[in-house]
Amino acid sequence: MQDKKYLMIPGPTPVPPTVVAAMSQPLIGHRSDDFAKLHEQIVGKLKKVLQTNNDIFVLTNSGTGSLETAIANTVNPGDKVLALITGNFGERFANIAKAYGAKVDEVDFGWGNDVDLKVVEEKLAADSGYKVVLATQNETSTGVKNDIAGIAALVSKTPALLLVDGVSGIGAIEHKTDEWGVDILCTASQKALMLPPGLSVITVSEKAWRVVNDNQSPRFYFSLPAAKKVYDKWNTAYTPGVSMFLGMDAALDMMLAEGMDNVYARHALLAKATRAAAKALGLKLLSEDRCASNALTAVWSPEGIGADDIRKVLKKQYGITFAGGQGKLKGKIFRIAHMGFSDKMDIMIAISALEMALAQVGYSVELGTGVKAAQEVFLGKVE
Ligand SMILES: *Cc1c(COP(=O)(O)O)cnc(C)c1O
């Protein structure tokens, strides 16, 4: 049926009608007082969501643009970089550093695992020459949440800067930027922030500014000093995505009205129900409960059944889109996103359709077992 679609991938995610309406307002000039006011308002709200008093820049580009901004402004050719990798996006962050000529020490913790703090401690003790450390808050390719507080506690004792990719975690999983001591945090609009793709956000600490201002790598569109030059007037260096700014203001209002604690609790509940349902159906989860993401759940396809065959049935017959596996997990897992504009009944729809699709591809499933497990979580019947 036309328009009856359920987008359950980790970005882009569904956008609330209120946000769509805000984005449909008449355009305003980006050098106007109205825009300056909007910009200031957004940064004020982002400070609450990101728990920081650092400078916050809203950039007009996708999430990778904020990662490149972080690298271009802190890494010179030959600099030593420690990359903590737990999947595809950790690899991407490392690859950007390599593109800027860094000597990247890549530590791969394995897809499905989180960062082992002991290894980080050893690495930092063995070599005091790292200029930056790269970490991923929520590894979207595997549904793993990393312990950024723990990593930051180790890195902040060294001269190195901690750069965090929070593209899919911010808005779903709490991030205490200042309390933990994260120097640069990157995120983007189209994941848990409930907006279409098009904006990214980056925060810059005092410690980071000292490095940024001295950096020699080529930078123009991604120059933080250029953004900073006009920041005090609530201007942007180049034309911003004005409609997206209008949408971001509305999306942040929605999140703050719900209350950030409630937003995080909702994500935790959705993750818990999804995991309980998958387990009840006899499916294996990629990540252990201990480091499971609250933003999305990665599920192994049953033995002998291609994950993409399940996804095809879901898409064609039920209008539901789950994400597939990336890189080495292609065809082996499917990923159910429950981030941003997502609530209990989205999970019920996803799980009931999953049960039917599993039955259709030949997996023996007792219909209703996954649905029941999720319902019991929502009714508070599970510890
Ligand atoms: C989506 C995502 C990105 C990439 O963002 P784009 O907007 O596609 O450039 C980077 N890191 C993580 C963790 C992501 O989930």
Side-chain angles (χ1 to χ4, degrees):
M1 184 201 182
Q2 190 189 333
D3 292 352
K4 201 72 187 164
K5 300 278 191 297
Y6 307 90
L7 185 62
M8 295 183 170
I9 63 173
T13 60
V15 177
T18 301
V19 175
V20 173
M23 292 183 58
S24 312
Q25 292 174 85
L27 279 160
I28 54 174
H30 64 292
R31 303 295 182 217
S32 67
D33 291 344
D34 286 343
F35 180 80
K37 203 172 137 214
L38 173 68
H39 188 187
E40 181 177 9
Q41 235 165 258
I42 287 172
V43 169
K45 290 166 193 173
L46 281 171
K47 284 188 171 173
K48 291 184 191 156
V49 173
L50 308 178
Q51 302 189 37
T52 184
N53 284 313
N54 291 335
D55 291 337
I56 300 177
F57 301 98
V58 182
L59 310 171
T60 298
N61 48 49
S62 85
T64 307
S66 64
L67 301 181
E68 179 152 354
T69 299
I71 297 290
N73 286 277
T74 59
V75 172
N76 287 325
D79 282 349
K80 270 201 225 164
V81 169
L82 176 61
L84 308 175
I85 297 171
T86 51
N88 187 52
F89 289 102
E91 283 181 2
R92 179 180 300 181
F93 216 175
N95 286 337
I96 299 171
K98 283 188 210 161
Y100 278 80
K103 278 197 234 128
V104 184
D105 190 356
E106 293 172 273
V107 187
D108 194 334
F109 295 89
W111 289 42
N113 299 327
D114 60 343
V115 169
D116 181 346
L117 294 181
K118 266 204 269 37
V119 173
V120 179
E121 192 168 17
E122 282 163 18
K123 278 276 169 192
L124 292 173
D127 190 337
S128 58
Y130 293 116
K131 188 160 179 211
V132 307
V133 177
L134 309 178
T136 314
Q137 179 202 14
N138 183 69
E139 179 44 77
T140 321
S141 61
T142 60
V144 162
K145 173 188 65 178
N146 284 308
D147 179 3
I148 298 300
I151 295 168
L154 296 169
V155 177
S156 60
K157 285 188 287 196
T158 75
L161 299 178
L162 176 59
L163 278 44
V164 172
D165 173 351
V167 172
S168 63
I170 295 301
I173 302 163
E174 186 167 39
H175 188 280
K176 302 182 179 183
T177 308
D178 288 359
E179 188 180 315
W180 297 343
V182 171
D183 295 296
I184 294 188
L185 169 67
C186 304
T187 191
S189 54
Q190 81 275 22
K191 309 262 167 115
L193 293 181
M194 309 192 293
L195 288 153
L199 295 183
S200 74
V201 174
I202 186 165
T203 74
V204 185
S205 73
E206 281 299 323
K207 182 178 169 185
W209 270 123
R210 291 193 284 278
V211 174
V212 169
N213 288 326
D214 288 344
N215 215 57
Q216 300 303 315
S217 282
R219 43 188 170 166
F220 191 91
Y221 191 73
F222 294 137
S223 167
L224 283 172
K228 174 73 173 169
K229 225 167 125 184
V230 293
Y231 183 68
D232 292 338
K233 289 179 281 180
W234 300 111
N235 225 318
T236 55
Y238 317 108
T239 311
V242 175
S243 300
M244 288 289 295
F245 272 63
L246 291 164
M248 183 175 266
D249 195 43
L252 292 168
D253 278 344
M254 278 181 68
M255 293 170 73
L256 293 169
E258 183 176 353
M260 292 313 298
D261 287 347
N262 296 329
V263 169
Y264 300 134
R266 171 166 51 81
H267 283 88
L269 186 68
L270 301 184
K272 188 176 173 182
T274 305
R275 293 176 72 81
K279 285 179 193 168
L281 290 168
L283 301 174
K284 287 206 194 75
L285 298 164
L286 186 61
S287 63
E288 289 171 41
D289 289 342
R290 182 182 56 77
C291 59
S293 164
N294 285 343
L296 80 156
T297 299
V299 184
W300 288 108
S301 197
E303 201 61 48
I305 296 173
D308 294 345
D309 294 333
I310 300 170
R311 291 174 58 234
K312 255 180 228 144
V313 174
L314 284 166
K315 177 90 181 263
K316 255 216 172 112
Q317 300 190 24
Y318 306 112
I320 293 183
T321 310
F322 287 174
Q326 292 177 304
K328 57 188 97 166
L329 293 173
K330 196 163 173 38
K332 296 184 178 150
I333 63 162
F334 54 88
R335 294 173 296 149
I336 308 171
H338 32 74
M339 61 173 80
F341 189 50
S342 181
D343 209 346
K344 298 183 196 76
M345 289 319 290
D346 296 306
I347 303 303
M348 298 316 305
I349 286 169
I351 297 303
S352 85
L354 174 61
E355 288 182 357
M356 291 191 281
L358 285 169
Q360 285 168 285
V361 297
Y363 177 71
S364 143
V365 47
E366 196 187 324
L367 295 174
T369 45
V371 165
K372 180 167 183 276
Q375 286 171 327
E376 284 174 348
V377 169
F378 291 145
L379 290 175
K381 294 194 171 170
V382 185
E383 257 320 288

